[in-house]
């Protein structure tokens, strides 16, 4: 699987307002999300390191109690087992990568 056409992947609404397309490499999980203003991801943690890259729009990210606005050009890195939450301030798109992979996102 050296090439993946993300436009052909099934869209899953993982949480209200978060519509994602998912695929896996041997060691990572990739999620291409379209998000809706006002939607959120509750505070949680998991054993994977997670990277958020906002392509369009703005996300309010809280990582280990520190809040910052993530937008195009600003990448948010969530260390493994660290509490984090997200609120969509606008409509937009983001790519979220988990390492190691999250095969619960099949």
């Amino acid at each position: 699987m050296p090439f993946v056409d993300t436009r052909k992947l099934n869209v899953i609404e993982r949480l209200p307002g978060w519509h994602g397309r998912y695929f896996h490499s041997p060691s990572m999980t990739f999620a291409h999300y379209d998000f809706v203003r006002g939607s959120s991801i509750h505070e949680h943690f998991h054993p994977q390191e997670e990277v958020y890259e906002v392509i369009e729009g703005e996300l309010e990210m809280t990582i280990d109690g520190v809040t910052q606005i993530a937008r195009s050009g600003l990448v948010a890195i969530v260390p493994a087992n660290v509490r984090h939450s997200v609120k969509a301030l606008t409509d937009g798109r983001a790519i979220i990568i988990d390492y190691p992979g999250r095969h619960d996102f099949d």
Side-chain angles (χ1 to χ4, degrees):
M1 171 181 78
F3 300 98
V4 175
D5 186 345
T6 60
R7 297 166 299 179
K8 293 183 180 178
L9 298 173
N10 291 332
V11 176
I12 299 168
E13 188 173 22
R14 173 103 16 226
L15 293 168
W18 289 85
H19 302 269
R21 294 177 170 89
Y22 305 90
F23 66 96
H24 306 280
S25 74
S27 60
M28 296 180 283
T29 296
F30 297 81
H32 287 225
Y33 277 108
D34 292 320
F35 55 84
V36 177
R37 179 183 183 185
S39 61
S40 62
I41 300 174
H42 60 280
E43 184 179 63
H44 66 289
F45 65 94
H46 39 72
Q48 295 84 1
E49 176 182 42
E50 193 164 63
V51 177
Y52 286 73
E53 182 169 9
V54 176
I55 306 303
E56 293 176 9
E58 294 185 343
L59 295 174
E60 180 183 270
M61 302 274 315
T62 301
I63 302 169
D64 202 18
V66 177
T67 300
Q68 187 163 340
I69 306 303
R71 55 178 62 89
S72 181
L74 179 70
V75 173
I77 301 171
V78 181
N81 297 308
V82 169
R83 293 192 166 281
H84 57 286
S85 61
V86 182
K87 180 178 178 185
L89 300 178
T90 67
D91 292 350
R93 295 183 309 130
I95 298 171
I96 302 172
I97 303 157
D98 287 276
Y99 175 81
R102 294 185 65 167
H103 292 285
D104 55 323
F105 280 28
D106 288 330

